[in-house]
Amino acid sequence: WVHKMLTTARLLRAPVVARKAPVTHVPVTQVRKMGHGYPPSVTGFSQTTNFGHFDPSMESLPAWERSFILFLGRIGFHEAYRKLMGYRKYGFKFEDILVETPDVCNALLRLPPDVLSDRDDRIKQALVLHAAGKILPEQEWVTAEEDKAYLASYLAQVIQERRDREAFRPR
């Protein structure tokens, strides 16, 4: 009782009892998020959601930035940059190499099955070529005329629906 009285009065230190922290095992699992690409172990896991600021119209940009973008378009910078990117050498179209964010995944779900199958075939072909250290013969490269947007309209619709939901959702 004397020991208890002295420890409560803080004149004597209470004995330190070593306690083990409970061991909890948290299983590490990755859940595939609607990805359609190949290989399944890689695509669809992207957690990138920071495209909320994306606005395809140029009205929100300052005047100098709008004029600079228009200047780059006049001198053909966009096409030269796409050529330097090198994705067409593997048979890709530009929208095949987009990061599979949740918005892109939802847009891919809306694609017609034949377009989605063509995209998957292009991705598989590019992976085989890259693994072999080769590129397509130059006559089989995707040309600028073939590299047309097939996902942009669906993606714009998905982004608009998400923004509408976020604006409607009470805070």
Side-chain angles (χ1 to χ4, degrees), residues 135-166:
I135 58 174
L136 288 172
E138 193 165 345
Q139 63 270 18
E140 293 181 28
W141 290 2
V142 174
T143 62
E145 293 79 30
E146 296 170 345
D147 192 6
K148 297 298 179 196
Y150 63 91
L151 188 64
S153 60
Y154 297 102
L155 186 58
Q157 185 181 14
V158 166
I159 290 172
Q160 185 60 46
E161 289 173 3
R162 178 180 49 81
R163 286 182 179 167
D164 291 344
R165 277 194 308 274
E166 289 171 355

PDB file of all heavy atoms in Angstrom, residues 135-166:
ATOM      1  N   ILE A 135      10.264  -3.214 -83.925  1.00  0.00           N
ATOM      2  CA  ILE A 135       9.146  -2.322 -84.227  1.00  0.00           C
ATOM      3  C   ILE A 135       8.519  -2.828 -85.518  1.00  0.00           C
ATOM      4  O   ILE A 135       9.076  -3.692 -86.200  1.00  0.00           O
ATOM      5  CB  ILE A 135       9.585  -0.845 -84.370  1.00  0.00           C
ATOM      6  CG1 ILE A 135      10.636  -0.695 -85.468  1.00  0.00           C
ATOM      7  CG2 ILE A 135      10.075  -0.298 -83.053  1.00  0.00           C
ATOM      8  CD1 ILE A 135      11.002   0.752 -85.759  1.00  0.00           C
ATOM      9  N   LEU A 136       7.350  -2.286 -85.838  1.00  0.00           N
ATOM     10  CA  LEU A 136       6.687  -2.687 -87.076  1.00  0.00           C
ATOM     11  C   LEU A 136       7.477  -2.217 -88.293  1.00  0.00           C
ATOM     12  O   LEU A 136       8.212  -1.221 -88.213  1.00  0.00           O
ATOM     13  CB  LEU A 136       5.279  -2.081 -87.131  1.00  0.00           C
ATOM     14  CG  LEU A 136       4.224  -2.653 -86.200  1.00  0.00           C
ATOM     15  CD1 LEU A 136       2.966  -1.795 -86.268  1.00  0.00           C
ATOM     16  CD2 LEU A 136       3.906  -4.082 -86.550  1.00  0.00           C
ATOM     17  N   PRO A 137       7.322  -2.884 -89.425  1.00  0.00           N
ATOM     18  CA  PRO A 137       7.894  -2.333 -90.662  1.00  0.00           C
ATOM     19  C   PRO A 137       7.258  -0.971 -90.945  1.00  0.00           C
ATOM     20  O   PRO A 137       6.102  -0.721 -90.598  1.00  0.00           O
ATOM     21  CB  PRO A 137       7.493  -3.353 -91.730  1.00  0.00           C
ATOM     22  CG  PRO A 137       7.128  -4.580 -91.002  1.00  0.00           C
ATOM     23  CD  PRO A 137       6.689  -4.179 -89.635  1.00  0.00           C
ATOM     24  N   GLU A 138       8.006  -0.099 -91.567  1.00  0.00           N
ATOM     25  CA  GLU A 138       7.549   1.284 -91.730  1.00  0.00           C
ATOM     26  C   GLU A 138       6.231   1.399 -92.481  1.00  0.00           C
ATOM     27  O   GLU A 138       5.432   2.302 -92.215  1.00  0.00           O
ATOM     28  CB  GLU A 138       8.632   2.111 -92.426  1.00  0.00           C
ATOM     29  CG  GLU A 138       8.371   3.588 -92.339  1.00  0.00           C
ATOM     30  CD  GLU A 138       9.586   4.418 -92.691  1.00  0.00           C
ATOM     31  OE1 GLU A 138      10.701   3.886 -92.731  1.00  0.00           O
ATOM     32  OE2 GLU A 138       9.387   5.619 -92.937  1.00  0.00           O
ATOM     33  N   GLN A 139       5.945   0.495 -93.408  1.00  0.00           N
ATOM     34  CA  GLN A 139       4.680   0.578 -94.141  1.00  0.00           C
ATOM     35  C   GLN A 139       3.481   0.196 -93.263  1.00  0.00           C
ATOM     36  O   GLN A 139       2.348   0.476 -93.619  1.00  0.00           O
ATOM     37  CB  GLN A 139       4.704  -0.274 -95.423  1.00  0.00           C
ATOM     38  CG  GLN A 139       4.872  -1.752 -95.200  1.00  0.00           C
ATOM     39  CD  GLN A 139       6.333  -2.187 -95.183  1.00  0.00           C
ATOM     40  OE1 GLN A 139       7.221  -1.363 -95.018  1.00  0.00           O
ATOM     41  NE2 GLN A 139       6.567  -3.467 -95.350  1.00  0.00           N
ATOM     42  N   GLU A 140       3.723  -0.437 -92.097  1.00  0.00           N
ATOM     43  CA  GLU A 140       2.634  -0.817 -91.195  1.00  0.00           C
ATOM     44  C   GLU A 140       2.460   0.157 -90.034  1.00  0.00           C
ATOM     45  O   GLU A 140       1.587  -0.053 -89.187  1.00  0.00           O
ATOM     46  CB  GLU A 140       2.880  -2.224 -90.650  1.00  0.00           C
ATOM     47  CG  GLU A 140       2.803  -3.310 -91.706  1.00  0.00           C
ATOM     48  CD  GLU A 140       3.018  -4.697 -91.123  1.00  0.00           C
ATOM     49  OE1 GLU A 140       2.704  -4.888 -89.928  1.00  0.00           O
ATOM     50  OE2 GLU A 140       3.493  -5.571 -91.856  1.00  0.00           O
ATOM     51  N   TRP A 141       3.281   1.202 -89.942  1.00  0.00           N
ATOM     52  CA  TRP A 141       3.118   2.190 -88.891  1.00  0.00           C
ATOM     53  C   TRP A 141       1.767   2.879 -89.044  1.00  0.00           C
ATOM     54  O   TRP A 141       1.245   3.043 -90.136  1.00  0.00           O
ATOM     55  CB  TRP A 141       4.203   3.256 -88.968  1.00  0.00           C
ATOM     56  CG  TRP A 141       5.578   2.777 -88.606  1.00  0.00           C
ATOM     57  CD1 TRP A 141       5.951   1.518 -88.268  1.00  0.00           C
ATOM     58  CD2 TRP A 141       6.756   3.562 -88.570  1.00  0.00           C
ATOM     59  NE1 TRP A 141       7.284   1.465 -88.024  1.00  0.00           N
ATOM     60  CE2 TRP A 141       7.824   2.721 -88.204  1.00  0.00           C
ATOM     61  CE3 TRP A 141       7.033   4.894 -88.820  1.00  0.00           C
ATOM     62  CZ2 TRP A 141       9.119   3.167 -88.050  1.00  0.00           C
ATOM     63  CZ3 TRP A 141       8.332   5.339 -88.671  1.00  0.00           C
ATOM     64  CH2 TRP A 141       9.363   4.489 -88.291  1.00  0.00           C
ATOM     65  N   VAL A 142       1.205   3.289 -87.917  1.00  0.00           N
ATOM     66  CA  VAL A 142      -0.062   4.020 -87.943  1.00  0.00           C
ATOM     67  C   VAL A 142       0.207   5.412 -88.489  1.00  0.00           C
ATOM     68  O   VAL A 142       1.116   6.108 -88.036  1.00  0.00           O
ATOM     69  CB  VAL A 142      -0.668   4.099 -86.522  1.00  0.00           C
ATOM     70  CG1 VAL A 142      -1.911   4.968 -86.511  1.00  0.00           C
ATOM     71  CG2 VAL A 142      -0.996   2.708 -86.001  1.00  0.00           C
ATOM     72  N   THR A 143      -0.562   5.814 -89.466  1.00  0.00           N
ATOM     73  CA  THR A 143      -0.402   7.142 -90.057  1.00  0.00           C
ATOM     74  C   THR A 143      -1.270   8.157 -89.320  1.00  0.00           C
ATOM     75  O   THR A 143      -2.131   7.795 -88.521  1.00  0.00           O
ATOM     76  CB  THR A 143      -0.796   7.127 -91.544  1.00  0.00           C
ATOM     77  OG1 THR A 143      -2.183   6.770 -91.640  1.00  0.00           O
ATOM     78  CG2 THR A 143       0.051   6.135 -92.326  1.00  0.00           C
ATOM     79  N   ALA A 144      -1.032   9.431 -89.614  1.00  0.00           N
ATOM     80  CA  ALA A 144      -1.813  10.490 -88.976  1.00  0.00           C
ATOM     81  C   ALA A 144      -3.290  10.383 -89.349  1.00  0.00           C
ATOM     82  O   ALA A 144      -4.166  10.715 -88.549  1.00  0.00           O
ATOM     83  CB  ALA A 144      -1.258  11.851 -89.369  1.00  0.00           C
ATOM     84  N   GLU A 145      -3.579   9.898 -90.562  1.00  0.00           N
ATOM     85  CA  GLU A 145      -4.975   9.751 -90.989  1.00  0.00           C
ATOM     86  C   GLU A 145      -5.670   8.629 -90.219  1.00  0.00           C
ATOM     87  O   GLU A 145      -6.871   8.695 -89.958  1.00  0.00           O
ATOM     88  CB  GLU A 145      -5.056   9.466 -92.492  1.00  0.00           C
ATOM     89  CG  GLU A 145      -4.603  10.616 -93.370  1.00  0.00           C
ATOM     90  CD  GLU A 145      -3.084  10.719 -93.472  1.00  0.00           C
ATOM     91  OE1 GLU A 145      -2.399   9.673 -93.385  1.00  0.00           O
ATOM     92  OE2 GLU A 145      -2.582  11.840 -93.629  1.00  0.00           O
ATOM     93  N   GLU A 146      -4.932   7.581 -89.878  1.00  0.00           N
ATOM     94  CA  GLU A 146      -5.521   6.465 -89.122  1.00  0.00           C
ATOM     95  C   GLU A 146      -5.626   6.776 -87.635  1.00  0.00           C
ATOM     96  O   GLU A 146      -6.430   6.172 -86.928  1.00  0.00           O
ATOM     97  CB  GLU A 146      -4.661   5.204 -89.302  1.00  0.00           C
ATOM     98  CG  GLU A 146      -4.604   4.683 -90.712  1.00  0.00           C
ATOM     99  CD  GLU A 146      -3.556   3.584 -90.867  1.00  0.00           C
ATOM    100  OE1 GLU A 146      -2.692   3.432 -89.968  1.00  0.00           O
ATOM    101  OE2 GLU A 146      -3.605   2.889 -91.884  1.00  0.00           O
ATOM    102  N   ASP A 147      -4.795   7.692 -87.159  1.00  0.00           N
ATOM    103  CA  ASP A 147      -4.727   7.993 -85.728  1.00  0.00           C
ATOM    104  C   ASP A 147      -5.802   9.011 -85.352  1.00  0.00           C
ATOM    105  O   ASP A 147      -5.515  10.134 -84.974  1.00  0.00           O
ATOM    106  CB  ASP A 147      -3.334   8.512 -85.382  1.00  0.00           C
ATOM    107  CG  ASP A 147      -3.091   8.582 -83.882  1.00  0.00           C
ATOM    108  OD1 ASP A 147      -3.954   8.122 -83.116  1.00  0.00           O
ATOM    109  OD2 ASP A 147      -2.040   9.098 -83.480  1.00  0.00           O
ATOM    110  N   LYS A 148      -7.035   8.602 -85.477  1.00  0.00           N
ATOM    111  CA  LYS A 148      -8.164   9.465 -85.140  1.00  0.00           C
ATOM    112  C   LYS A 148      -8.707   9.085 -83.766  1.00  0.00           C
ATOM    113  O   LYS A 148      -8.603   7.943 -83.326  1.00  0.00           O
ATOM    114  CB  LYS A 148      -9.276   9.341 -86.179  1.00  0.00           C
ATOM    115  CG  LYS A 148      -8.864   9.786 -87.566  1.00  0.00           C
ATOM    116  CD  LYS A 148      -8.492  11.245 -87.577  1.00  0.00           C
ATOM    117  CE  LYS A 148      -8.051  11.670 -88.968  1.00  0.00           C
ATOM    118  NZ  LYS A 148      -7.357  12.924 -88.972  1.00  0.00           N
ATOM    119  N   ALA A 149      -9.322  10.054 -83.105  1.00  0.00           N
ATOM    120  CA  ALA A 149      -9.867   9.826 -81.769  1.00  0.00           C
ATOM    121  C   ALA A 149     -11.056   8.871 -81.836  1.00  0.00           C
ATOM    122  O   ALA A 149     -11.959   9.044 -82.647  1.00  0.00           O
ATOM    123  CB  ALA A 149     -10.299  11.153 -81.154  1.00  0.00           C
ATOM    124  N   TYR A 150     -11.002   7.847 -81.003  1.00  0.00           N
ATOM    125  CA  TYR A 150     -12.134   6.934 -80.901  1.00  0.00           C
ATOM    126  C   TYR A 150     -12.695   6.919 -79.483  1.00  0.00           C
ATOM    127  O   TYR A 150     -13.772   6.402 -79.235  1.00  0.00           O
ATOM    128  CB  TYR A 150     -11.726   5.505 -81.308  1.00  0.00           C
ATOM    129  CG  TYR A 150     -10.686   4.873 -80.417  1.00  0.00           C
ATOM    130  CD1 TYR A 150     -11.056   4.103 -79.318  1.00  0.00           C
ATOM    131  CD2 TYR A 150      -9.343   5.041 -80.664  1.00  0.00           C
ATOM    132  CE1 TYR A 150     -10.112   3.541 -78.498  1.00  0.00           C
ATOM    133  CE2 TYR A 150      -8.388   4.472 -79.861  1.00  0.00           C
ATOM    134  CZ  TYR A 150      -8.775   3.714 -78.771  1.00  0.00           C
ATOM    135  OH  TYR A 150      -7.826   3.163 -77.955  1.00  0.00           O
ATOM    136  N   LEU A 151     -11.970   7.507 -78.539  1.00  0.00           N
ATOM    137  CA  LEU A 151     -12.382   7.470 -77.134  1.00  0.00           C
ATOM    138  C   LEU A 151     -12.769   8.848 -76.609  1.00  0.00           C
ATOM    139  O   LEU A 151     -13.431   8.943 -75.587  1.00  0.00           O
ATOM    140  CB  LEU A 151     -11.220   6.900 -76.307  1.00  0.00           C
ATOM    141  CG  LEU A 151     -11.433   6.577 -74.846  1.00  0.00           C
ATOM    142  CD1 LEU A 151     -12.460   5.460 -74.706  1.00  0.00           C
ATOM    143  CD2 LEU A 151     -10.142   6.171 -74.188  1.00  0.00           C
ATOM    144  N   ALA A 152     -12.395   9.905 -77.312  1.00  0.00           N
ATOM    145  CA  ALA A 152     -12.544  11.263 -76.792  1.00  0.00           C
ATOM    146  C   ALA A 152     -13.991  11.631 -76.492  1.00  0.00           C
ATOM    147  O   ALA A 152     -14.271  12.247 -75.462  1.00  0.00           O
ATOM    148  CB  ALA A 152     -11.940  12.260 -77.769  1.00  0.00           C
ATOM    149  N   SER A 153     -14.917  11.263 -77.354  1.00  0.00           N
ATOM    150  CA  SER A 153     -16.315  11.635 -77.111  1.00  0.00           C
ATOM    151  C   SER A 153     -16.861  10.926 -75.874  1.00  0.00           C
ATOM    152  O   SER A 153     -17.573  11.532 -75.069  1.00  0.00           O
ATOM    153  CB  SER A 153     -17.171  11.311 -78.332  1.00  0.00           C
ATOM    154  OG  SER A 153     -17.110   9.924 -78.612  1.00  0.00           O
ATOM    155  N   TYR A 154     -16.499   9.649 -75.710  1.00  0.00           N
ATOM    156  CA  TYR A 154     -16.940   8.912 -74.523  1.00  0.00           C
ATOM    157  C   TYR A 154     -16.287   9.473 -73.266  1.00  0.00           C
ATOM    158  O   TYR A 154     -16.926   9.603 -72.217  1.00  0.00           O
ATOM    159  CB  TYR A 154     -16.589   7.426 -74.654  1.00  0.00           C
ATOM    160  CG  TYR A 154     -17.277   6.728 -75.798  1.00  0.00           C
ATOM    161  CD1 TYR A 154     -16.599   6.460 -76.973  1.00  0.00           C
ATOM    162  CD2 TYR A 154     -18.608   6.343 -75.708  1.00  0.00           C
ATOM    163  CE1 TYR A 154     -17.220   5.829 -78.035  1.00  0.00           C
ATOM    164  CE2 TYR A 154     -19.240   5.710 -76.756  1.00  0.00           C
ATOM    165  CZ  TYR A 154     -18.547   5.457 -77.914  1.00  0.00           C
ATOM    166  OH  TYR A 154     -19.166   4.830 -78.958  1.00  0.00           O
ATOM    167  N   LEU A 155     -15.010   9.835 -73.370  1.00  0.00           N
ATOM    168  CA  LEU A 155     -14.286  10.378 -72.221  1.00  0.00           C
ATOM    169  C   LEU A 155     -14.847  11.731 -71.805  1.00  0.00           C
ATOM    170  O   LEU A 155     -15.026  11.995 -70.611  1.00  0.00           O
ATOM    171  CB  LEU A 155     -12.798  10.488 -72.560  1.00  0.00           C
ATOM    172  CG  LEU A 155     -11.869  10.894 -71.434  1.00  0.00           C
ATOM    173  CD1 LEU A 155     -11.975   9.931 -70.263  1.00  0.00           C
ATOM    174  CD2 LEU A 155     -10.438  10.969 -71.934  1.00  0.00           C
ATOM    175  N   ALA A 156     -15.157  12.581 -72.764  1.00  0.00           N
ATOM    176  CA  ALA A 156     -15.753  13.881 -72.445  1.00  0.00           C
ATOM    177  C   ALA A 156     -17.097  13.703 -71.758  1.00  0.00           C
ATOM    178  O   ALA A 156     -17.419  14.421 -70.798  1.00  0.00           O
ATOM    179  CB  ALA A 156     -15.905  14.711 -73.715  1.00  0.00           C
ATOM    180  N   GLN A 157     -17.872  12.735 -72.215  1.00  0.00           N
ATOM    181  CA  GLN A 157     -19.175  12.460 -71.606  1.00  0.00           C
ATOM    182  C   GLN A 157     -19.014  11.963 -70.169  1.00  0.00           C
ATOM    183  O   GLN A 157     -19.734  12.403 -69.265  1.00  0.00           O
ATOM    184  CB  GLN A 157     -19.908  11.431 -72.458  1.00  0.00           C
ATOM    185  CG  GLN A 157     -21.311  11.135 -72.027  1.00  0.00           C
ATOM    186  CD  GLN A 157     -21.959  10.084 -72.920  1.00  0.00           C
ATOM    187  OE1 GLN A 157     -21.295   9.404 -73.690  1.00  0.00           O
ATOM    188  NE2 GLN A 157     -23.262   9.955 -72.801  1.00  0.00           N
ATOM    189  N   VAL A 158     -18.055  11.067 -69.939  1.00  0.00           N
ATOM    190  CA  VAL A 158     -17.823  10.533 -68.588  1.00  0.00           C
ATOM    191  C   VAL A 158     -17.349  11.635 -67.647  1.00  0.00           C
ATOM    192  O   VAL A 158     -17.824  11.726 -66.508  1.00  0.00           O
ATOM    193  CB  VAL A 158     -16.794   9.372 -68.645  1.00  0.00           C
ATOM    194  CG1 VAL A 158     -16.285   9.020 -67.263  1.00  0.00           C
ATOM    195  CG2 VAL A 158     -17.409   8.161 -69.302  1.00  0.00           C
ATOM    196  N   ILE A 159     -16.439  12.493 -68.116  1.00  0.00           N
ATOM    197  CA  ILE A 159     -15.936  13.579 -67.276  1.00  0.00           C
ATOM    198  C   ILE A 159     -17.059  14.551 -66.942  1.00  0.00           C
ATOM    199  O   ILE A 159     -17.191  15.003 -65.801  1.00  0.00           O
ATOM    200  CB  ILE A 159     -14.756  14.295 -67.974  1.00  0.00           C
ATOM    201  CG1 ILE A 159     -13.533  13.377 -67.997  1.00  0.00           C
ATOM    202  CG2 ILE A 159     -14.425  15.606 -67.277  1.00  0.00           C
ATOM    203  CD1 ILE A 159     -12.380  13.913 -68.818  1.00  0.00           C
ATOM    204  N   GLN A 160     -17.909  14.852 -67.928  1.00  0.00           N
ATOM    205  CA  GLN A 160     -19.026  15.766 -67.671  1.00  0.00           C
ATOM    206  C   GLN A 160     -20.001  15.161 -66.659  1.00  0.00           C
ATOM    207  O   GLN A 160     -20.477  15.855 -65.764  1.00  0.00           O
ATOM    208  CB  GLN A 160     -19.754  16.101 -68.981  1.00  0.00           C
ATOM    209  CG  GLN A 160     -20.841  17.133 -68.806  1.00  0.00           C
ATOM    210  CD  GLN A 160     -20.316  18.454 -68.283  1.00  0.00           C
ATOM    211  OE1 GLN A 160     -19.313  18.959 -68.751  1.00  0.00           O
ATOM    212  NE2 GLN A 160     -20.982  18.992 -67.289  1.00  0.00           N
ATOM    213  N   GLU A 161     -20.287  13.864 -66.776  1.00  0.00           N
ATOM    214  CA  GLU A 161     -21.183  13.212 -65.818  1.00  0.00           C
ATOM    215  C   GLU A 161     -20.590  13.212 -64.418  1.00  0.00           C
ATOM    216  O   GLU A 161     -21.298  13.431 -63.431  1.00  0.00           O
ATOM    217  CB  GLU A 161     -21.479  11.783 -66.271  1.00  0.00           C
ATOM    218  CG  GLU A 161     -22.377  11.709 -67.477  1.00  0.00           C
ATOM    219  CD  GLU A 161     -22.526  10.289 -68.000  1.00  0.00           C
ATOM    220  OE1 GLU A 161     -21.971   9.339 -67.393  1.00  0.00           O
ATOM    221  OE2 GLU A 161     -23.202  10.118 -69.033  1.00  0.00           O
ATOM    222  N   ARG A 162     -19.274  12.974 -64.310  1.00  0.00           N
ATOM    223  CA  ARG A 162     -18.624  12.991 -62.998  1.00  0.00           C
ATOM    224  C   ARG A 162     -18.681  14.389 -62.398  1.00  0.00           C
ATOM    225  O   ARG A 162     -18.975  14.555 -61.209  1.00  0.00           O
ATOM    226  CB  ARG A 162     -17.173  12.530 -63.116  1.00  0.00           C
ATOM    227  CG  ARG A 162     -16.427  12.569 -61.776  1.00  0.00           C
ATOM    228  CD  ARG A 162     -15.001  12.128 -61.886  1.00  0.00           C
ATOM    229  NE  ARG A 162     -14.257  12.735 -62.948  1.00  0.00           N
ATOM    230  CZ  ARG A 162     -13.700  13.946 -62.911  1.00  0.00           C
ATOM    231  NH1 ARG A 162     -13.831  14.702 -61.846  1.00  0.00           N
ATOM    232  NH2 ARG A 162     -13.010  14.406 -63.947  1.00  0.00           N
ATOM    233  N   ARG A 163     -18.429  15.421 -63.206  1.00  0.00           N
ATOM    234  CA  ARG A 163     -18.505  16.789 -62.696  1.00  0.00           C
ATOM    235  C   ARG A 163     -19.920  17.147 -62.262  1.00  0.00           C
ATOM    236  O   ARG A 163     -20.113  17.840 -61.264  1.00  0.00           O
ATOM    237  CB  ARG A 163     -18.028  17.761 -63.759  1.00  0.00           C
ATOM    238  CG  ARG A 163     -16.542  17.736 -63.953  1.00  0.00           C
ATOM    239  CD  ARG A 163     -16.116  18.751 -64.979  1.00  0.00           C
ATOM    240  NE  ARG A 163     -14.678  18.749 -65.139  1.00  0.00           N
ATOM    241  CZ  ARG A 163     -14.056  19.340 -66.125  1.00  0.00           C
ATOM    242  NH1 ARG A 163     -14.728  19.990 -67.054  1.00  0.00           N
ATOM    243  NH2 ARG A 163     -12.753  19.284 -66.213  1.00  0.00           N
ATOM    244  N   ASP A 164     -20.916  16.683 -63.010  1.00  0.00           N
ATOM    245  CA  ASP A 164     -22.304  16.934 -62.624  1.00  0.00           C
ATOM    246  C   ASP A 164     -22.629  16.253 -61.292  1.00  0.00           C
ATOM    247  O   ASP A 164     -23.298  16.840 -60.437  1.00  0.00           O
ATOM    248  CB  ASP A 164     -23.269  16.437 -63.705  1.00  0.00           C
ATOM    249  CG  ASP A 164     -23.200  17.265 -64.978  1.00  0.00           C
ATOM    250  OD1 ASP A 164     -22.646  18.386 -64.926  1.00  0.00           O
ATOM    251  OD2 ASP A 164     -23.695  16.787 -66.017  1.00  0.00           O
ATOM    252  N   ARG A 165     -22.157  15.012 -61.133  1.00  0.00           N
ATOM    253  CA  ARG A 165     -22.386  14.309 -59.856  1.00  0.00           C
ATOM    254  C   ARG A 165     -21.706  15.031 -58.707  1.00  0.00           C
ATOM    255  O   ARG A 165     -22.293  15.180 -57.623  1.00  0.00           O
ATOM    256  CB  ARG A 165     -21.858  12.875 -59.929  1.00  0.00           C
ATOM    257  CG  ARG A 165     -22.803  11.894 -60.559  1.00  0.00           C
ATOM    258  CD  ARG A 165     -22.355  10.456 -60.294  1.00  0.00           C
ATOM    259  NE  ARG A 165     -20.970  10.203 -60.663  1.00  0.00           N
ATOM    260  CZ  ARG A 165     -20.542   9.857 -61.877  1.00  0.00           C
ATOM    261  NH1 ARG A 165     -21.409   9.737 -62.857  1.00  0.00           N
ATOM    262  NH2 ARG A 165     -19.268   9.636 -62.107  1.00  0.00           N
ATOM    263  N   GLU A 166     -20.467  15.489 -58.923  1.00  0.00           N
ATOM    264  CA  GLU A 166     -19.752  16.193 -57.860  1.00  0.00           C
ATOM    265  C   GLU A 166     -20.421  17.531 -57.526  1.00  0.00           C
ATOM    266  O   GLU A 166     -20.452  17.940 -56.368  1.00  0.00           O
ATOM    267  CB  GLU A 166     -18.299  16.425 -58.269  1.00  0.00           C
ATOM    268  CG  GLU A 166     -17.481  15.152 -58.285  1.00  0.00           C
ATOM    269  CD  GLU A 166     -16.110  15.355 -58.908  1.00  0.00           C
ATOM    270  OE1 GLU A 166     -15.829  16.475 -59.416  1.00  0.00           O
ATOM    271  OE2 GLU A 166     -15.332  14.383 -58.902  1.00  0.00           O
TER     272      GLU A 166
END
